[in-house]
Amino acid sequence: MYIRNDKRAPNQLRDIKIERGWQEAGEGSVLVSFGNTKVLCTATFDTSVPRWMKDSGRGWVTSEYEMLPRANNERNSRESRKGKIGGRTHEISRLIGRSLRAAVNLEALGEAQIIIDCDVLQADGGTRCASITGGWVALKDALLWGKENGFISDIDLVLEKQIAAVSVGILNNTPILDLPYEEDSRAETDMNVVMASNGEYVEIQGTAERQTFNRDELNQLLDLANEGCGELFKLQNNLYK
Amino acid sequence: MYIRNDKRAPNQLRDIKIERGWQEAGEGSVLVSFGNTKVLCTATFDTSVPRWMKDSGRGWVTSEYEMLPRANNERNSRESRKGKIGGRTHEISRLIGRSLRAAVNLEALGEAQIIIDCDVLQADGGTRCASITGGWVALKDALLWGKENGFISDIDLVLEKQIAAVSVGILNNTPILDLPYEEDSRAETDMNVVMASNGEYVEIQGTAERQTFNRDELNQLLDLANEGCGELFKLQNNLYK
Amino acid sequence: MYIRNDKRAPNQLRDIKIERGWQEAGEGSVLVSFGNTKVLCTATFDTSVPRWMKDSGRGWVTSEYEMLPRANNERNSRESRKGKIGGRTHEISRLIGRSLRAAVNLEALGEAQIIIDCDVLQADGGTRCASITGGWVALKDALLWGKENGFISDIDLVLEKQIAAVSVGILNNTPILDLPYEEDSRAETDMNVVMASNGEYVEIQGTAERQTFNRDELNQLLDLANEGCGELFKLQNNLYK
Amino acid sequence: MYIRNDKRAPNQLRDIKIERGWQEAGEGSVLVSFGNTKVLCTATFDTSVPRWMKDSGRGWVTSEYEMLPRANNERNSRESRKGKIGGRTHEISRLIGRSLRAAVNLEALGEAQIIIDCDVLQADGGTRCASITGGWVALKDALLWGKENGFISDIDLVLEKQIAAVSVGILNNTPILDLPYEEDSRAETDMNVVMASNGEYVEIQGTAERQTFNRDELNQLLDLANEGCGELFKLQNNLYK
Amino acid sequence: MYIRNDKRAPNQLRDIKIERGWQEAGEGSVLVSFGNTKVLCTATFDTSVPRWMKDSGRGWVTSEYEMLPRANNERNSRESRKGKIGGRTHEISRLIGRSLRAAVNLEALGEAQIIIDCDVLQADGGTRCASITGGWVALKDALLWGKENGFISDIDLVLEKQIAAVSVGILNNTPILDLPYEEDSRAETDMNVVMASNGEYVEIQGTAERQTFNRDELNQLLDLANEGCGELFKLQNNLYK
Amino acid sequence: MYIRNDKRAPNQLRDIKIERGWQEAGEGSVLVSFGNTKVLCTATFDTSVPRWMKDSGRGWVTSEYEMLPRANNERNSRESRKGKIGGRTHEISRLIGRSLRAAVNLEALGEAQIIIDCDVLQADGGTRCASITGGWVALKDALLWGKENGFISDIDLVLEKQIAAVSVGILNNTPILDLPYEEDSRAETDMNVVMASNGEYVEIQGTAERQTFNRDELNQLLDLANEGCGELFKLQNNLYK
């Protein structure tokens, strides 16, 4: 049977930390760690909306993801210097935005925009899942700020869902939870699962990296993701006790 | 019960057409239609590889997706004029590339690159699935060209899998197959499923557009996708009889 | 005497086809073929004008030309990926725009903009002339749409001229009409002539590619262009019978 | 009959000045004035060629045209700040490059590149013609430098043709030579004619700005251009006496 | 002791020329030469302000610096072709803008913007100092134009300070004034000093190129700069006698 | 007399913290705080040099500075999204690079490049000075890594100077040390001083923001900077005890 290099059980998360109020600026500011992966999630509560939403009575939630140039073992050129954003950055930004938008009732939010900046300070696999999990806390903090400052009347009407995300994958035919980079790069199948705390799915993105996967494997992966997200929901909730 | 505007049964594909050899140029050139969605898939067999693969002994398969400005009801500005590619274009190009790469044994291909250009001439939902399904035919034709021209010795070693893709979704609580734009824009859940002809999954991307979905619904959607891809595999195979 | 590879007489056009209503979207949608050259010309009737024309009481006609990456024998990188439009694309877009603008009384059009997208699906010489010739049909169809939809009252006041274009050149000292790529690349002199159906010139662009040309040769080339455009006008007119 | 605002006869050039050696740097450096139009033409003799010409044994001549932001009455934004070159700049750069390339036997030049930078210090119509006329002098000076420095053995083999250009147009039905901005902006027809000193044409670009033109008018315009270029050839030759 | 190649005394400026009204266009147009360094400074008086200053009641002064591609001995690629402005261009544009803004009472100017374009025609060291010194004259001329045209009532309230700039440096341990390129490239320390005519400093930018410098050396450099700027103020004043 | 809002004496630094080894990746990784200003300085030891330095036998030190979008009170758009780097970012990156380059003997370094990434996590004035001060520690750590890994033989030959930087300014006619944002935005004069531990200057950048300054004031500001940098040198040294 496959033994993980870091000795974790197949269904065990890495050490997870979520720190609120990490920065002075930002209506929500969260440093989230999934093991060595560290992402700074900063929520900006913008009382104006993008032009195309003006007078719609609805709000918006969006996200921008980016990695520091030396978040990885190798230094990557800055996208600002290259003059364009890469496909991976675009893809992940959109996933985070969609996932967190699903948490919010945009009509109840009214004409305001929440921007969640997810800057990866250190990358060791699972950066998009950490961004969503930490981003939800930053989002909640920004909405609490909005409530305190009179932009929102009833926060429960606005924040309809609790959201978290985790990666799962198959390595040496063993389904495993929360893959660090070294497992991720060897996995046969790789899946990111975004869940709501009602146990339902917000987004499922599964990719056969080296081998196609069947329905049974898919179900095992989803079981693992349910377990992992369950723990993440508890950790999120502990922050507000 | 939900009745589709175009009278199709929930598990029925739109009218699918795949025409080989549509253009003179291109080692593979395929016009694929899923109803009113029309994509021109052109495969280029490039006997050189990108610099980062030089001397690796392996080949590469990649894809570039783009829509003509008036493929939709509203005209969109050209990305070439804006000077940058949008997030959606990036995301879809990467999905098609990953999916078709999964079909090929890159070591057996050797140092060559196949580029699949997917240009959407007319868009009515499902453009990425049509691109993958038609792109696989263009890929196969390019490999056949490579065989005829002495770049490939055994095509069965190179083209390991047959790939097709279809969209599924939930609308009015009814799981449906192959959504045109008007259904897609109203769906509660939207999923793109890329399959191999062995019945296994290459990529699953499910998104809760309006409502989260549970495991049962997921399984119903995957059943529909299996049916739909099964028919697409037959249509692909008919082209080579 | 010079015998053309495709056996045509020096003053003979290639096989010309102009198909209206090729796409669902677009107020005008025309697929035009000059032999193996195929251009999709799509006209968008935009009821707003660019900002700098606001409140001028006048309309505008413009064009954007682009080639699919594998329209040629060799694949070219997409300009959207390069992040900028090349000089040739700019030059041809401007020529088409100027030529079709000459057909229209902009005051009579009123504050509306017609955008003619010319996307080259397959290139074998003469793409700019095919774009202008097919673009005029797309333009007319868009104006007919404008009439039907109440944006234009009298189409004859708006569409003042009928426009077509053809390439001429000198090869082996022989003036010839409508050059495919293989002739174009060997020609001593190359000229694109845009004409109105009154027999007058809208635009003449002649270039000494390998040899300067004199007034006699110029006049012979213009005679050929007159002949060729004459036939193109007939073909355009046949579409509206 | 039409009387020109500056009292010139219809076939009269503006005051033309061509100053060689205007700058210290540049293998050729020419300030050319056509009336108030002033262009600095600087030729760089580059002993390497662009990559795509390596080992071809042939050389290259190219040009880059640009206007200072306040060359006109209104200030225009810098293209460097906008991050892209406009269509007009591209179109004119290409015309100048083609025209001056026609002067040179690229095989005889050998593997070297001449770049002609044409920077418009002040614009009052005819900037592209001034650029070509002054650019030819800068080109010749750069070739003389190449001869002195041992890169060229026989300059007459390399510089095969003498090139000049002038604008002509029809205003109030009167064909006129060398239009300043105020005439250019009112002209019915506008034509730029690039000639070689053997009386033949290198490039003809005629545009019906407000009215189509017929063969007679074309011939009158070409007669005027022949006269104008004839004088420009004399002025160029005087510089080398 | 260090003898300068051009025989100047350590505290001697190069030959300075400032020509007003060099171009037709531009509310101020100045060609300034510091020896072989030649910069064309053109001031545009824009009666509108950038959007972020609207309704502020204040005006703005800004600058854009750029070098012609062959201003130097080696040709540099155009920043417009590269699609982005380099760091050096940005840095110098900002320095000139800040320095000239310091000359003006922006409240007294009212809602108007002066843009100073500094285009380096020939570069031989000290281009930023020449730009500031000549730019101040162009600025004054633009304000005089504003007075004549009724946009400014009292020019002395608007133009509060007279500004000039000069480079100083240490070469072979000798403090020297106004360095041409060949000295600049060998200097141990390099400083640009922007002064007001009251003898005070507007901007000091000192850089240890090869050796750190101490307070004594700094003071000697500032003494030289005081001398140099003193002469530049006289030359500026002579233009308005 | 002017009393600072944070009660500091005029010559008192904010609370300074420098933490080494902050990230796993990076040959040097330092989090530096000047009060609420926090910059992550990461040094990459790259064993190759930029192309233009190949075979020169010399190394290079460079820096890239960037702010996170919500480092400030207001969110700023990402430069990667805008597709270009702003002038301020360019200017500061160049200053840091020049300053840290001055610390190193590039010949002794040999063909290697050290890149110092300075990412501002939180901004409250003085970000460029914090970047230089923390960047020097990251640089030293990267060189120590180079020594340990055999790329450098004698670190004292390579790291010739110890460098730190501090801002000084005049507010209400009082010279003060180490300005936070709220002082910086009101200061009459603002100066950044980069020093070496021998008490000499590496770079001085003084700007009259609201009022020109005289020699006396300059000397008082430099005295303050000497004091401040003296303390910073001690803090840097303490890290290596």
Side-chain angles (χ1 to χ4, degrees):
Chain A
M1 198 212 154
Y2 169 63
I3 304 295
R4 305 178 82 167
N5 283 339
D6 58 9
K7 315 292 180 210
R8 280 189 288 148
N11 68 342
Q12 194 182 341
L13 290 171
R14 287 179 284 179
D15 191 29
I16 310 289
K17 279 191 220 136
I18 311 177
E19 301 172 57
R20 294 169 64 203
W22 201 74
Q23 280 185 301
E24 300 271 314
E27 283 68 62
S29 172
V30 169
L31 186 72
V32 61
S33 317
F34 277 38
N36 280 326
T37 288
K38 287 186 190 181
V39 184
L40 180 55
C41 305
T42 310
T44 295
F45 193 111
D46 186 348
T47 52
S48 63
V49 284
R51 198 180 316 177
W52 55 272
M53 294 204 79
K54 280 266 160 64
D55 302 320
S56 67
R58 304 173 67 229
W60 194 241
V61 174
T62 189
S63 178
E64 294 186 4
Y65 167 98
E66 199 162 326
M67 294 180 83
L68 290 197
R70 192 61 198 275
N72 287 297
N73 232 28
E74 298 284 305
R75 185 178 186 275
N76 295 304
S77 304
R78 289 176 192 268
E79 294 181 322
S80 58
R81 296 264 161 172
K82 292 193 224 165
K84 53 184 164 186
I85 286 180
R88 182 183 174 276
T89 296
H90 257 145
E91 190 176 309
I92 299 180
S93 294
R94 285 162 59 87
L95 169 64
I96 303 170
R98 270 198 316 269
S99 298
L100 295 179
R101 205 150 49 239
V104 171
N105 182 324
L106 299 172
E107 279 77 16
L109 174 56
E111 290 202 10
Q113 182 178 215
I114 320 278
I115 305 163
I116 317 286
D117 285 296
C118 296
D119 288 274
V120 180
L121 305 185
Q122 199 164 280
D124 185 27
T127 60
R128 73 191 77 185
C129 293
S131 296
I132 291 167
T133 304
W136 182 83
V137 178
L139 168 64
K140 176 160 181 171
D141 284 355
L143 293 173
L144 288 169
W145 178 94
K147 167 83 177 128
E148 271 169 49
N149 289 273
F151 295 109
I152 288 176
S153 47
D154 185 343
I155 200 172
D156 294 329
L157 287 179
V158 177
L159 189 64
E160 290 184 333
K161 293 197 190 74
Q162 184 178 353
I163 305 283
V166 77
S167 74
V168 287
I170 301 177
L171 182 53
N172 290 358
N173 300 314
T174 311
I176 50 176
L177 178 68
D178 189 18
L179 291 69
Y181 176 73
E182 66 89 15
E183 287 183 342
D184 191 72
S185 60
R186 291 181 295 141
E188 290 113 39
T189 292
D190 181 29
M191 188 173 301
N192 293 290
V193 182
V194 186
M195 297 191 71
S197 56
N198 63 356
E200 296 204 331
Y201 302 105
V202 171
E203 182 110 10
I204 293 176
Q205 294 202 343
T207 302
E209 296 287 351
R210 283 191 169 65
Q211 252 174 240
T212 51
F213 54 99
N214 59 31
R215 192 77 70 91
D216 271 357
E217 288 165 328
L218 172 63
N219 278 309
Q220 291 176 56
L221 289 173
L222 291 174
D223 289 342
L224 275 180
N226 278 31
E227 269 191 81
C229 286
E231 290 184 52
L232 294 172
F233 290 130
K234 279 184 215 155
L235 290 167
Q236 288 175 333
N237 286 333
N238 287 341
L239 298 169
Y240 295 97
K241 273 183 182 158
Chain B
M1 201 214 155
Y2 169 63
I3 304 294
R4 304 178 84 166
N5 284 339
D6 58 9
K7 314 290 180 212
R8 278 187 290 148
N11 68 343
Q12 195 182 341
L13 290 172
R14 288 180 281 181
D15 190 28
I16 311 288
K17 277 191 221 139
I18 311 177
E19 302 173 56
R20 293 168 67 202
W22 201 74
Q23 278 185 298
E24 299 271 314
E27 282 68 61
S29 172
V30 169
L31 186 72
V32 60
S33 316
F34 277 39
N36 279 328
T37 288
K38 288 187 191 181
V39 185
L40 180 55
C41 306
T42 311
T44 295
F45 193 109
D46 187 348
T47 53
S48 63
V49 282
R51 198 179 317 174
W52 55 272
M53 293 204 79
K54 280 268 159 62
D55 302 320
S56 69
R58 305 172 65 227
W60 194 241
V61 174
T62 189
S63 177
E64 295 186 4
Y65 167 98
E66 200 162 323
M67 294 180 83
L68 290 197
R70 192 64 198 274
N72 287 297
N73 232 26
E74 298 284 305
R75 185 178 186 275
N76 294 303
S77 304
R78 288 175 193 268
E79 294 181 322
S80 58
R81 296 265 160 170
K82 293 193 222 166
K84 54 184 165 189
I85 286 180
R88 182 182 173 278
T89 296
H90 256 146
E91 192 176 307
I92 298 180
S93 294
R94 285 162 59 86
L95 170 64
I96 303 170
R98 268 197 318 270
S99 298
L100 295 179
R101 205 149 51 236
V104 171
N105 182 324
L106 299 173
E107 280 76 17
L109 174 56
E111 290 203 9
Q113 184 180 216
I114 319 280
I115 305 163
I116 316 287
D117 286 295
C118 297
D119 288 274
V120 180
L121 304 185
Q122 199 164 280
D124 185 27
T127 59
R128 74 192 77 186
C129 294
S131 296
I132 291 168
T133 303
W136 183 83
V137 178
L139 169 64
K140 176 160 181 168
D141 283 353
L143 293 173
L144 288 169
W145 178 95
K147 168 85 177 123
E148 271 169 50
N149 289 272
F151 295 109
I152 288 176
S153 47
D154 184 343
I155 201 171
D156 294 330
L157 287 180
V158 176
L159 190 64
E160 290 184 333
K161 295 196 187 72
Q162 183 177 356
I163 304 284
V166 78
S167 73
V168 287
I170 301 177
L171 183 52
N172 289 358
N173 300 312
T174 312
I176 49 175
L177 178 69
D178 189 19
L179 292 70
Y181 176 73
E182 66 89 12
E183 287 183 341
D184 192 70
S185 60
R186 292 181 294 140
E188 291 112 40
T189 291
D190 182 27
M191 188 173 301
N192 293 291
V193 183
V194 186
M195 296 191 71
S197 56
N198 63 357
E200 297 204 331
Y201 302 105
V202 171
E203 183 111 8
I204 293 176
Q205 294 200 343
T207 302
E209 296 286 350
R210 281 188 172 67
Q211 251 174 243
T212 51
F213 53 99
N214 58 33
R215 192 79 70 92
D216 271 359
E217 288 165 328
L218 172 62
N219 277 308
Q220 291 176 57
L221 289 173
L222 292 173
D223 289 342
L224 275 180
N226 279 31
E227 270 193 78
C229 286
E231 290 184 52
L232 294 171
F233 290 129
K234 278 185 216 152
L235 290 167
Q236 288 174 334
N237 287 332
N238 286 342
L239 298 168
Y240 295 98
K241 275 182 182 159
Chain C
M1 200 211 153
Y2 168 65
I3 303 294
R4 304 178 84 167
N5 284 339
D6 58 9
K7 315 291 180 211
R8 279 188 289 147
N11 68 344
Q12 193 181 341
L13 291 171
R14 288 179 282 179
D15 189 29
I16 310 288
K17 278 189 221 140
I18 311 178
E19 302 172 56
R20 292 169 67 202
W22 201 74
Q23 278 185 298
E24 300 271 313
E27 282 69 60
S29 173
V30 169
L31 186 72
V32 61
S33 316
F34 277 39
N36 280 327
T37 288
K38 288 186 190 181
V39 185
L40 179 55
C41 305
T42 311
T44 295
F45 192 110
D46 186 348
T47 54
S48 63
V49 282
R51 198 179 318 174
W52 56 271
M53 293 203 80
K54 280 268 159 62
D55 303 320
S56 69
R58 306 173 65 227
W60 194 242
V61 175
T62 188
S63 178
E64 295 186 3
Y65 167 98
E66 199 164 324
M67 294 180 84
L68 290 197
R70 192 63 197 275
N72 287 297
N73 232 27
E74 298 283 306
R75 185 177 186 275
N76 294 304
S77 304
R78 288 176 193 268
E79 294 181 323
S80 58
R81 296 265 161 170
K82 293 193 223 166
K84 53 184 166 187
I85 287 179
R88 181 181 174 279
T89 296
H90 256 145
E91 191 175 308
I92 298 180
S93 293
R94 285 162 59 86
L95 169 64
I96 303 171
R98 267 197 318 269
S99 298
L100 295 180
R101 205 149 50 237
V104 171
N105 181 325
L106 299 173
E107 280 76 17
L109 174 55
E111 289 202 11
Q113 183 179 215
I114 320 280
I115 305 163
I116 317 287
D117 286 296
C118 297
D119 288 272
V120 180
L121 305 185
Q122 199 166 278
D124 185 27
T127 61
R128 74 192 75 188
C129 293
S131 297
I132 291 168
T133 304
W136 183 84
V137 178
L139 168 64
K140 176 160 182 170
D141 282 354
L143 293 173
L144 288 169
W145 178 95
K147 168 86 176 123
E148 271 169 52
N149 288 272
F151 295 109
I152 288 176
S153 46
D154 184 344
I155 202 172
D156 294 330
L157 287 181
V158 177
L159 189 64
E160 291 185 333
K161 294 195 189 75
Q162 184 178 355
I163 305 284
V166 78
S167 73
V168 287
I170 301 176
L171 182 52
N172 289 358
N173 300 314
T174 312
I176 52 178
L177 179 69
D178 189 17
L179 292 69
Y181 176 74
E182 66 89 13
E183 287 183 343
D184 191 69
S185 60
R186 292 182 294 141
E188 290 113 40
T189 292
D190 181 27
M191 188 172 302
N192 292 291
V193 183
V194 186
M195 297 191 71
S197 56
N198 63 357
E200 296 204 332
Y201 301 104
V202 171
E203 183 109 10
I204 294 175
Q205 294 200 341
T207 302
E209 296 286 351
R210 282 191 170 65
Q211 252 175 240
T212 51
F213 54 99
N214 59 30
R215 193 77 70 90
D216 271 359
E217 289 165 327
L218 173 61
N219 278 309
Q220 290 176 57
L221 289 173
L222 291 173
D223 288 343
L224 275 180
N226 278 32
E227 269 192 81
C229 285
E231 290 184 53
L232 294 171
F233 290 129
K234 277 185 217 153
L235 289 167
Q236 288 174 333
N237 287 332
N238 286 342
L239 298 169
Y240 295 97
K241 274 181 183 159
Chain D
M1 198 213 156
Y2 169 63
I3 304 295
R4 304 178 81 167
N5 283 339
D6 58 9
K7 315 291 180 211
R8 279 188 288 148
N11 68 345
Q12 194 181 341
L13 290 172
R14 288 179 284 179
D15 190 28
I16 310 289
K17 278 190 220 138
I18 311 177
E19 302 172 55
R20 293 168 66 202
W22 201 74
Q23 280 185 299
E24 300 271 313
E27 282 69 60
S29 172
V30 169
L31 186 71
V32 61
S33 317
F34 277 38
N36 279 327
T37 287
K38 288 186 190 180
V39 185
L40 179 56
C41 306
T42 310
T44 295
F45 193 110
D46 187 348
T47 52
S48 62
V49 282
R51 198 178 319 175
W52 54 273
M53 294 204 79
K54 280 268 159 62
D55 302 320
S56 68
R58 304 173 65 229
W60 194 241
V61 175
T62 188
S63 177
E64 294 186 4
Y65 167 97
E66 199 163 325
M67 294 181 83
L68 290 196
R70 193 63 198 275
N72 287 298
N73 232 27
E74 299 284 306
R75 185 177 186 275
N76 294 305
S77 303
R78 288 176 192 268
E79 294 181 323
S80 58
R81 298 263 160 173
K82 292 193 223 165
K84 53 183 165 188
I85 287 180
R88 182 183 174 277
T89 296
H90 256 145
E91 190 175 308
I92 298 180
S93 294
R94 285 162 59 87
L95 169 65
I96 303 171
R98 270 198 316 270
S99 298
L100 295 179
R101 205 150 48 238
V104 171
N105 181 325
L106 299 173
E107 280 75 16
L109 174 56
E111 290 203 10
Q113 183 179 215
I114 320 279
I115 305 162
I116 316 287
D117 285 296
C118 296
D119 288 273
V120 179
L121 305 184
Q122 200 166 278
D124 185 27
T127 60
R128 74 192 75 188
C129 294
S131 297
I132 291 167
T133 304
W136 183 84
V137 177
L139 168 64
K140 175 159 181 169
D141 283 354
L143 293 173
L144 289 169
W145 179 94
K147 167 83 176 127
E148 270 169 51
N149 289 272
F151 295 107
I152 289 176
S153 46
D154 184 344
I155 201 171
D156 294 330
L157 288 179
V158 176
L159 189 64
E160 290 185 333
K161 294 196 189 73
Q162 185 178 354
I163 305 285
V166 77
S167 73
V168 286
I170 302 177
L171 182 52
N172 290 357
N173 301 314
T174 311
I176 51 176
L177 178 68
D178 189 18
L179 292 70
Y181 176 73
E182 67 88 14
E183 286 183 343
D184 191 71
S185 60
R186 292 182 294 141
E188 290 113 40
T189 292
D190 182 27
M191 188 172 301
N192 293 290
V193 182
V194 186
M195 297 191 71
S197 56
N198 63 356
E200 296 204 331
Y201 302 104
V202 171
E203 183 110 10
I204 294 176
Q205 293 201 341
T207 302
E209 296 286 352
R210 282 191 171 65
Q211 251 175 239
T212 51
F213 54 99
N214 59 30
R215 192 77 72 89
D216 271 358
E217 289 165 328
L218 172 62
N219 278 309
Q220 289 176 59
L221 289 173
L222 291 173
D223 288 343
L224 275 180
N226 278 30
E227 269 192 80
C229 285
E231 290 185 52
L232 294 172
F233 290 130
K234 278 184 215 153
L235 289 168
Q236 288 174 334
N237 287 332
N238 287 342
L239 297 168
Y240 295 97
K241 273 182 182 156
Chain E
M1 200 214 156
Y2 168 64
I3 305 295
R4 304 178 84 166
N5 283 340
D6 58 9
K7 315 291 181 211
R8 278 187 290 147
N11 69 342
Q12 195 182 341
L13 291 171
R14 287 180 283 180
D15 191 27
I16 311 290
K17 277 189 222 142
I18 311 177
E19 302 172 55
R20 293 168 67 203
W22 200 73
Q23 278 185 300
E24 301 270 314
E27 284 67 62
S29 172
V30 169
L31 186 71
V32 60
S33 317
F34 277 38
N36 279 328
T37 288
K38 288 186 189 182
V39 185
L40 179 55
C41 305
T42 311
T44 295
F45 193 109
D46 186 348
T47 53
S48 63
V49 282
R51 199 180 315 174
W52 55 272
M53 295 204 77
K54 280 267 160 61
D55 301 320
S56 68
R58 305 171 66 227
W60 194 242
V61 175
T62 189
S63 177
E64 294 186 5
Y65 167 99
E66 199 163 324
M67 294 181 82
L68 291 196
R70 192 62 198 274
N72 287 297
N73 232 27
E74 299 284 305
R75 185 177 186 275
N76 294 303
S77 304
R78 289 175 192 268
E79 293 182 323
S80 57
R81 296 265 161 170
K82 292 192 223 167
K84 54 184 165 188
I85 287 181
R88 182 182 173 276
T89 296
H90 256 146
E91 191 177 309
I92 298 180
S93 293
R94 284 162 59 86
L95 170 64
I96 303 170
R98 268 196 319 270
S99 299
L100 295 178
R101 205 148 52 235
V104 170
N105 182 324
L106 299 173
E107 280 76 17
L109 174 56
E111 289 202 11
Q113 183 179 216
I114 319 281
I115 305 162
I116 317 287
D117 285 297
C118 297
D119 287 274
V120 179
L121 304 185
Q122 199 165 281
D124 186 27
T127 59
R128 74 191 78 188
C129 294
S131 296
I132 292 168
T133 304
W136 183 85
V137 178
L139 169 64
K140 177 161 180 169
D141 283 354
L143 293 173
L144 289 169
W145 179 94
K147 168 84 177 127
E148 270 169 50
N149 288 272
F151 295 108
I152 288 176
S153 48
D154 184 343
I155 201 171
D156 295 329
L157 287 180
V158 176
L159 190 64
E160 289 185 334
K161 295 196 188 72
Q162 184 178 354
I163 305 284
V166 78
S167 73
V168 288
I170 301 177
L171 182 51
N172 290 358
N173 300 312
T174 310
I176 50 176
L177 178 69
D178 189 19
L179 291 70
Y181 176 72
E182 65 89 12
E183 287 184 343
D184 192 70
S185 61
R186 291 181 295 141
E188 291 112 40
T189 292
D190 182 28
M191 188 172 300
N192 293 290
V193 183
V194 186
M195 296 190 71
S197 56
N198 63 356
E200 296 204 331
Y201 302 104
V202 170
E203 183 112 9
I204 294 176
Q205 294 201 343
T207 301
E209 296 285 353
R210 282 190 170 66
Q211 251 173 242
T212 52
F213 54 99
N214 59 32
R215 192 79 69 91
D216 271 0
E217 289 166 327
L218 173 62
N219 277 309
Q220 289 176 56
L221 289 173
L222 292 173
D223 288 343
L224 275 180
N226 279 31
E227 269 192 81
C229 286
E231 290 183 52
L232 294 172
F233 290 130
K234 278 185 217 154
L235 290 167
Q236 287 174 333
N237 287 332
N238 286 343
L239 298 168
Y240 295 98
K241 274 183 181 159
Chain F
M1 199 212 157
Y2 168 64
I3 304 295
R4 305 177 83 166
N5 284 340
D6 58 10
K7 314 293 181 208
R8 279 188 289 147
N11 67 342
Q12 196 182 340
L13 291 171
R14 288 180 283 180
D15 192 27
I16 310 290
K17 278 190 222 139
I18 311 177
E19 302 172 57
R20 295 169 64 203
W22 202 74
Q23 279 184 300
E24 300 271 314
E27 284 67 61
S29 172
V30 170
L31 185 72
V32 60
S33 317
F34 278 38
N36 279 328
T37 287
K38 287 186 190 181
V39 185
L40 180 54
C41 305
T42 310
T44 295
F45 193 111
D46 186 348
T47 52
S48 63
V49 284
R51 197 180 317 176
W52 54 272
M53 294 204 77
K54 280 268 160 62
D55 302 319
S56 68
R58 304 173 67 227
W60 193 242
V61 175
T62 188
S63 178
E64 294 186 4
Y65 166 100
E66 198 162 325
M67 294 180 83
L68 290 196
R70 192 61 197 276
N72 287 297
N73 232 29
E74 298 283 305
R75 185 177 186 276
N76 294 304
S77 304
R78 288 176 193 268
E79 293 181 323
S80 57
R81 296 264 162 173
K82 291 192 225 166
K84 55 183 164 187
I85 287 180
R88 183 183 173 276
T89 295
H90 256 145
E91 191 176 308
I92 298 180
S93 294
R94 285 163 58 87
L95 169 64
I96 302 170
R98 269 198 316 270
S99 299
L100 295 178
R101 204 148 51 236
V104 170
N105 181 325
L106 299 172
E107 280 77 15
L109 174 56
E111 289 202 10
Q113 182 179 217
I114 320 279
I115 305 163
I116 317 286
D117 285 296
C118 296
D119 287 275
V120 180
L121 305 184
Q122 199 164 280
D124 185 26
T127 59
R128 74 191 76 186
C129 294
S131 296
I132 291 168
T133 304
W136 182 84
V137 177
L139 168 64
K140 176 161 181 169
D141 283 354
L143 293 173
L144 288 169
W145 178 95
K147 167 83 178 127
E148 270 168 52
N149 288 272
F151 295 108
I152 289 177
S153 47
D154 184 343
I155 200 171
D156 294 331
L157 287 180
V158 176
L159 189 63
E160 289 185 334
K161 293 197 190 74
Q162 184 177 354
I163 305 283
V166 77
S167 74
V168 288
I170 301 177
L171 181 52
N172 290 359
N173 300 312
T174 310
I176 50 176
L177 179 68
D178 189 18
L179 291 70
Y181 175 73
E182 66 90 13
E183 287 184 343
D184 191 71
S185 61
R186 292 181 295 141
E188 291 112 39
T189 292
D190 183 27
M191 187 172 301
N192 293 292
V193 182
V194 186
M195 296 190 70
S197 56
N198 64 356
E200 296 203 331
Y201 301 104
V202 171
E203 182 109 11
I204 293 175
Q205 294 201 342
T207 302
E209 296 286 350
R210 282 190 170 67
Q211 251 173 241
T212 52
F213 54 98
N214 59 32
R215 193 78 70 92
D216 271 357
E217 289 166 327
L218 172 63
N219 277 309
Q220 290 176 56
L221 289 173
L222 292 173
D223 289 343
L224 275 180
N226 279 32
E227 268 192 81
C229 285
E231 290 184 53
L232 294 172
F233 291 129
K234 278 184 215 156
L235 290 167
Q236 288 175 332
N237 287 332
N238 286 341
L239 297 169
Y240 294 98
K241 275 184 182 159

